[in-house]
Amino acid sequence: MHKIIIAIDGYSGCGKSTTAKLVAERLNYLYIDTGAMYRAVTLYFLENFVSLSNPKQVKRALLNIHLEFHRNEHNGINEIFLNGLNVEEEIRKMYVSEQVSQVSAISEVRHLLVEQQRKMAKKGGVVMDGRDIGTNVFPNAELKIFVTADAYLRAARRQQELLEKGQEVDLDEILQNLSERDRIDTTRKENPLIKAADAYVLDTSYVTIDEQVDYVIGLYLGKVYP
Ligand code: DC
């Protein structure tokens, strides 16, 4: 059967990755979380005191970054490894979230990661989520979804997720972080977050996760069996 690319873009904390992961499972597709790649680069920059405004330092640092995804057989998650180390948990922490949009706005960072993302999806059969997948990484993706949701609901959900991981964070701090990331992600010069003209909008404010997944699967079926 024809294997396609499903591009899922949208604002921070809308449930893109939850939806993408489950869609990939249902279709037996590969799930690639491109946000995890930007987060891992951010972690490396923070750990190595790379100055974001120093292009030489940025270029040198990028030469030393090796990213890989490995599937964890226990939970089925495609976990990210930075230079051989599993950083899946570390990259979700607030101190990384606070810097990731600034790092993602750097042109050299984007070029390197976009090239890797295109290679990973060469054979199709991929669900990829991020901010510029349908507009830049795969402008010809067969199915594009643009995800949005009410800002307060997003922040409350993110707070609950962090709490489940043992991190207690103030709701206002999360709301502030999500809005600031949306602001930087939508206004940066290089490939900002915008809805592709041919993307379907999915508002996750008042729907269940099952409904979100069913919506995408329904669109997929319409594309593959027109
Ligand atoms: O999906 P996420 O919240 O884990 O992504 C973290 C940040 O990475 C997000 O605020 C912007 C950046 N990002 C990007 O610029 N382009 C992508 N394709 C994916 C993420």
Side-chain angles (χ1 to χ4, degrees), residues 12 34-35 38-39 100-101 104 110 130-133 181 185 188:
S12 291
T34 64
Y38 288 94
R39 286 172 179 272
V100 67
S101 284
S104 316
R110 302 206 70 78
R131 303 294 186 289
D132 62 339
I133 311 305
R181 282 206 280 143
D185 296 345
R188 69 173 173 236

Side-chain angles (χ1 to χ4, degrees), residues 9-12 14 16 100-102 104-105 110 130-132 135 146-148 154 177-196:
D9 290 303
Y11 299 105
S12 291
C14 289
K16 290 188 301 294
V100 67
S101 284
Q102 284 86 333
S104 316
R110 302 206 70 78
R131 303 294 186 289
D132 62 339
T135 50
F146 188 84
V147 192
T148 179
R154 291 196 254 152
N177 173 258
L178 293 181
S179 331
E180 181 59 5
R181 282 206 280 143
D182 285 347
R183 189 188 65 76
I184 300 175
D185 296 345
T186 52
T187 56
R188 69 173 173 236
K189 251 206 234 123
E190 189 133 351
N191 301 123
L193 167 66
I194 50 164
K195 183 185 120 24

